[in-house]
Amino acid sequence: MSILDYFRTPRTIGNMRTATTKSKSVIGVVVSDQEDLSCSGYTSLSENPEIFTAYRRIATLISSMPIMLMQNGEKGDTRIFNELSRKIDIEPNERMTRRTWMEAIVMNFLYGNGNSVCKVKTSRGILRDIQPIPAYQVTFMPSVDGTDYRILINGKEYRPDDVLHFVDNPDKYYPWMGRGMQVILSDVATNLKQASVTKKGFMSSKWKPSVIVKVDAMID
């Protein structure tokens, strides 16, 4: 009797009669003891492909929305059409299009951990240009009691009312400063990175075999 015939033959164990009537699906994966699929190292949120793509999608959607200048009135807010509204909504920056300008402001929330700063250029009291500042050039200096702060742009100090400071997710200690979604998205980024490392590990040639085989029937 072969080994396969032995397992196919009904057998009696105590008062229980067992028989192998149907075969079950079996999936086998071989992993070497010398290989480690755990991811290591630090990757910023801006370097994570999935999170970066999500921010780009949000920035693209926001860049297509109009910026309206509103005025309070007795019958509610009314939209104003003048040179100021045209400057902000159509040509806020001399070196980039309105869409690129808006995308740069939104993407700075990702690069600046929830903070986006723009410099305002005026001439004789007239708004001339709104310039988004790269996040790596901006530093925030809180006061002793934390209620006020200064902004350093390339080492030059500015008051908060001298620039435009947009905040995403205010910090619990410094409400004037954003902290973005880095704490909330940290676990998501780690899981995405681990999934990518695992996928690459199984698809690489160093794994023998590199294909998972599923068996649905007994092999004679």
Side-chain angles (χ1 to χ4, degrees):
M1 179 183 295
S2 65
I3 296 178
L4 293 178
D5 293 334
Y6 172 80
F7 284 104
R8 291 173 178 172
T9 303
R11 302 182 304 279
T12 302
I13 302 177
N15 296 327
M16 299 178 59
R17 181 179 177 85
T18 61
T20 58
T21 57
K22 293 183 179 181
S23 60
K24 297 181 179 180
S25 299
V26 178
I27 298 177
V29 179
V30 179
V31 179
S32 175
D33 294 336
Q34 285 76 28
E35 302 294 342
D36 186 11
L37 289 178
S38 61
C39 61
S40 59
Y42 171 77
T43 302
S44 62
L45 295 181
S46 60
E47 299 297 329
N48 186 283
E50 291 81 3
I51 295 178
F52 178 83
T53 303
Y55 264 88
R56 285 284 296 117
R57 179 59 176 170
I58 295 174
T60 301
L61 293 175
I62 293 179
S63 65
S64 62
M65 300 178 182
I67 301 176
M68 296 182 291
L69 185 63
M70 308 297 292
Q71 182 180 17
N72 297 331
E74 296 179 357
K75 297 182 180 181
D77 296 340
T78 57
R79 185 176 180 180
I80 299 177
F81 296 91
N82 54 21
E83 289 299 321
L84 179 60
S85 64
R86 183 182 185 278
K87 178 64 178 178
I88 296 177
D89 189 40
I90 298 179
E91 46 182 17
N93 189 276
E94 298 177 352
R95 298 294 184 267
M96 61 184 73
T97 63
R98 187 257 190 197
R99 179 171 181 173
T100 305
W101 172 78
M102 181 61 76
E103 288 184 1
I105 294 177
V106 177
M107 291 303 296
N108 267 341
F109 287 126
L110 175 62
Y111 306 136
N113 295 329
N115 297 276
S116 185
V117 177
C118 296
K119 290 176 62 176
V120 179
K121 295 183 179 180
T122 60
S123 176
R124 298 180 180 179
I126 299 177
L127 179 63
R128 297 299 183 185
D129 197 43
I130 302 177
Q131 179 184 0
I133 305 301
Y136 73 91
Q137 298 180 6
V138 180
T139 304
F140 299 96
M141 297 180 57
S143 60
V144 177
D145 56 0
T147 58
D148 197 6
Y149 67 105
R150 294 292 186 271
I151 300 176
L152 293 180
I153 301 178
N154 287 328
K156 185 177 180 180
E157 183 176 316
Y158 293 86
R159 293 181 53 85
D161 52 0
D162 293 333
V163 298
L164 296 177
H165 179 199
F166 304 100
V167 175
D168 177 34
N169 189 17
D171 187 80
K172 61 181 178 180
Y173 298 111
Y174 305 110
W176 43 263
M177 183 173 66
R179 64 174 182 173
M181 310 300 282
Q182 55 182 345
V183 178
I184 301 174
L185 293 178
S186 60
D187 291 339
V188 177
T190 301
N191 293 337
L192 291 174
K193 183 180 179 181
Q194 179 63 68
S196 177
V197 171
T198 304
K199 180 181 178 181
K200 290 181 180 179
F202 277 106
M203 297 301 294
S204 62
S205 60
K206 65 181 179 180
W207 294 98
K208 305 298 182 181
S210 59
V211 178
I212 302 175
V213 180
K214 178 180 179 181
V215 181
D216 291 323
M218 296 295 293
I219 302 177
D220 294 334

